[in-house]
Amino acid sequence: MATTPLARPHHLSFSTILHSLSQTPHRLRKRMFVTWSPDQEMNQVRQRSGADMKRKLEWYDLVALGVAGMLGAGVFVTTGRVAHKVSGPAVFISYIVAGVSALLSSMCYTEFSVEMPVAGGAFSYLRVTFGEFVGYFGGANILMEYVLSNAAVARTFTEYLSHAFGVDDPKSWRVQVDGLAQGYNALDFPAVALIILITLCLCHSTKESSIVNVVMTVFHVIFFGVVIVACFANGNPKNLIEPKGLAPFGARGVLDGAAIVYVSYIGYDSVSTMAEEIRNPSKSLPIGIAGSVLIVSALYCLMALALCSMIPYDEILDDASFSSAFKNMVGWRWMGNVVGVGASLGIVASLLVAMLGQARYLCVVGRARLVPFWLAKVHPSTGTPINATIFLGICTASIALFTDLEIVIEMISIGTLLVFYLVAGALIYRRYVKLGGSGGVSSPLPTLLFLLLLTSTSIGFSLSWKLNGGYWWGLAMFGTAAIAITGIFHRKVPCNRSTAEWSVPLMPWPAAASIFLSVFLMASLKKRSFLRFVLWSCFITLFYALYGVHSTFHAEEMEMERGASEGNHGEPSPPQQGKLEVQGP
């Protein structure tokens, strides 16, 4: 395939900048809901990066990437804290609830990724469905979620590495600095060193990084099996019901725990961002995404059960909980060191995959000119998005250096749940609204009304559950309404046959259930998550209004100028952004 020449940079004088800002309302109206077609996303937009990413990955690479991306983050970062403070021994049920929601979301991701195998993941799926701003908003939120969760995982690495060397207090490996605010004054240099090493590895090659990951993942799964057997061998079933029963914090604690441990499933969507580097996307992506979610869900539940059977939930430590549990067992202190080694390697594999995915998200956002274009550069020899990898590595290292793990954990999950909610809604929209072609165009109003009513009933159900004391009449009313609305929509509105080689069965039920669970779990999060979300949303919206919309507008002008120039020389003009369909509502 011939590579489209990169557009010339658009140099702006001060007067031009002022003129552009004065045109902001007009450009927002013109650009916010403009969509690209899947074909343009896979060809014209992808070619803006210059060199193509190299297609070297197979289905087993994807399963290993998905498993590695989730395992380290889930068990070692959240299990001990949630068991001790939120869910008790029923933390394994929290993992089941979160896993069901992740599996439903993964089905939506799979259909999109098979139909449109590009590195942009949710950003690309939302942009071709709801338009530029929604895609940008979702992509920016998932990027922030990646950076925060990777910083949390890196700080957990320091805790387990200290246990691997027989140091019981991980804080001794951090440098306390007077004068900084509490929670930001423990500098974690081992976490920063790890992020720098992984960033350099990812800049070199995706395939070599994948080979390292496959080896580490095989070791990691074997290690998990050893830990599970050792925990159950030293465990006592009575610990699951003592001192206060299986669910000492009640059903509310189980579901609140599910919202927190949902961060454990950040990683499977990284598989979809590898779509441009897969040899056979239509076969490999469904296996890679769904397979990794199922494998990891089973391991999470077994690990959570094993930990809570070995030690009463109220004695589980928040920091390096698995290593600490073994060190408190007579004759098994050595196993605490072994767990520290295995957990450290698992965390390295998890970070490798997550940082692999986040760079590809940012690369595709850069292709769309919504952030500076140099972030979209793909190195011609390594075939990796080198600038995006380095930039996000610096951001992740900065947060990991200063921010306490407890603070980071409270701020994550909301962005992931929001994006999964949007992707499920986008799938329903694409399956029930005809966007053109031989079948003509159908009105989007019935589908938009359904999404609005489903979201409203989901919020009503969630608030009824969230309020102290619980409004059971609200749960019954809103739950029944959500089921009835979905049933009526399924019966009255015809579903378009998916053109993808793999599609979600029984539509719209799986996508509707994904929307319902995403809203419900978001409502269970802490206040700090919503505060972070509001501040970040304000920032990225302002950035879009002051930079993104103008950058894409000027990029459109350059595309049209180049197309006209090539047309004058008798050459075919590439697809032009100015001719895009406005498929949004």
Side-chain angles (χ1 to χ4, degrees), residues 38 107-117 281-283 285-286 427 430-431 496-504:
M107 294 169 68
C108 301
Y109 262 81
T110 301
E111 179 169 330
F112 269 118
S113 61
V114 170
E115 179 185 3
M116 190 170 45
S282 61
K283 171 189 173 183
L285 280 166
L427 181 63
R430 289 189 69 81
R431 289 284 290 272
N496 301 320
R497 188 173 182 273
S498 173
T499 58
E501 295 183 46
W502 188 95
S503 59
V504 178

Side-chain angles (χ1 to χ4, degrees), residues 11-74:
H11 299 290
L12 299 175
S13 65
F14 182 71
S15 60
T16 307
I17 292 174
L18 290 179
H19 174 72
S20 295
L21 292 177
S22 69
Q23 295 295 310
T24 298
H26 166 70
R27 293 178 180 179
L28 285 173
R29 288 193 300 271
K30 183 176 181 180
R31 298 294 312 166
M32 284 185 70
F33 298 111
V34 168
T35 64
W36 292 82
S37 69
D39 182 66
Q40 288 170 317
E41 192 76 26
M42 290 188 292
N43 293 291
Q44 182 180 348
V45 179
R46 183 170 65 184
Q47 290 167 4
R48 289 178 176 177
S49 289
D52 286 340
M53 298 183 192
K54 297 181 179 180
R55 293 188 179 274
K56 295 182 176 181
L57 303 180
E58 303 288 353
W59 66 267
Y60 49 83
D61 292 308
L62 301 186
V63 172
L65 287 167
V67 170
M70 290 182 276
L71 278 185

Side-chain angles (χ1 to χ4, degrees), residues 129-455:
T129 306
F130 293 133
E132 182 175 276
F133 178 74
V134 177
Y136 162 79
F137 189 82
N141 270 286
I142 202 72
L143 275 172
M144 173 55 77
E145 203 83 344
Y146 265 112
V147 170
L148 288 173
S149 62
N150 290 343
V153 172
R155 287 185 74 95
T156 304
F157 170 80
T158 302
E159 296 176 355
Y160 276 99
L161 188 64
S162 66
H163 280 275
F165 284 92
V167 179
D168 292 336
D169 183 13
K171 294 180 181 178
S172 62
W173 283 36
R174 296 181 177 129
V175 179
Q176 299 291 327
V177 178
D178 296 331
L180 295 178
Q182 184 67 28
Y184 302 90
N185 60 342
L187 305 188
D188 197 327
F189 290 103
V192 173
L194 174 64
I195 291 169
I196 292 173
L197 286 174
I198 291 177
T199 299
L200 294 175
C201 178
L202 294 177
C203 287
H204 176 63
S205 170
T206 299
K207 182 60 180 177
E208 279 68 24
S209 300
S210 176
I211 292 172
V212 171
N213 177 72
V214 169
V215 173
M216 294 182 68
T217 301
V218 171
F219 165 80
H220 200 193
V221 172
I222 294 173
F223 162 72
F224 265 51
V226 172
V227 172
I228 290 169
V229 171
C231 285
F232 280 124
N234 289 276
N236 186 338
K238 290 183 178 180
N239 288 332
L240 295 174
I241 56 175
E242 293 179 356
K244 297 180 180 180
L246 180 65
F249 302 99
R252 188 181 305 277
V254 173
L255 295 175
D256 287 349
I260 298 173
V261 302
Y262 201 89
V263 68
S264 309
Y265 291 93
I266 296 177
Y268 82 76
D269 57 314
S270 296
V271 175
S272 68
T273 67
M274 309 305 299
E276 291 183 25
E277 297 159 87
I278 302 169
R279 286 179 176 166
N280 187 356
S282 61
K283 171 189 173 183
S284 300
L285 280 166
I287 298 174
I289 295 176
S292 59
V293 171
L294 291 172
I295 292 171
V296 166
S297 296
L299 288 173
Y300 280 164
C301 293
L302 288 173
M303 288 288 282
L305 270 173
L307 177 65
C308 293
S309 69
M310 187 169 67
I311 184 172
Y313 79 92
D314 56 349
E315 297 179 18
I316 296 174
L317 299 182
D318 291 351
D319 298 329
S321 51
F322 283 89
S323 290
S324 302
F326 277 109
K327 288 190 174 183
N328 291 330
M329 300 292 295
V330 177
W332 283 84
R333 184 175 178 83
W334 60 272
M335 187 64 181
N337 298 340
V338 173
V339 170
V341 174
S344 299
L345 292 176
I347 287 170
V348 171
S350 174
L351 273 176
L352 186 72
V353 176
M355 293 178 67
L356 196 71
Q358 71 180 13
R360 280 141 186 82
Y361 265 116
L362 185 57
C363 173
V364 177
V365 177
R367 288 176 184 171
R369 309 298 178 90
L370 290 163
V371 295
F373 185 56
W374 61 271
L375 290 168
K377 178 178 174 58
V378 173
H379 196 278
S381 60
T382 64
T384 59
I386 188 167
N387 290 342
T389 301
I390 293 172
F391 175 76
L392 289 174
I394 293 172
C395 294
T396 304
S398 300
I399 295 175
L401 177 63
F402 292 100
T403 312
D404 186 72
L405 186 61
E406 194 72 30
I407 294 174
V408 177
I409 286 178
E410 286 188 12
M411 291 193 294
I412 50 184
S413 286
I414 188 168
T416 302
L417 288 166
L418 172 71
V419 172
F420 291 173
Y421 160 83
L422 290 173
V423 169
L427 181 63
I428 291 175
Y429 189 87
R430 289 189 69 81
R431 289 284 290 272
Y432 285 88
V433 178
K434 292 181 180 179
L435 301 176
S438 59
V441 178
S442 63
S443 172
L445 290 180
T447 303
L448 292 175
L449 179 61
F450 165 67
L451 292 175
L452 176 63
L453 292 175
L454 179 62
T455 301

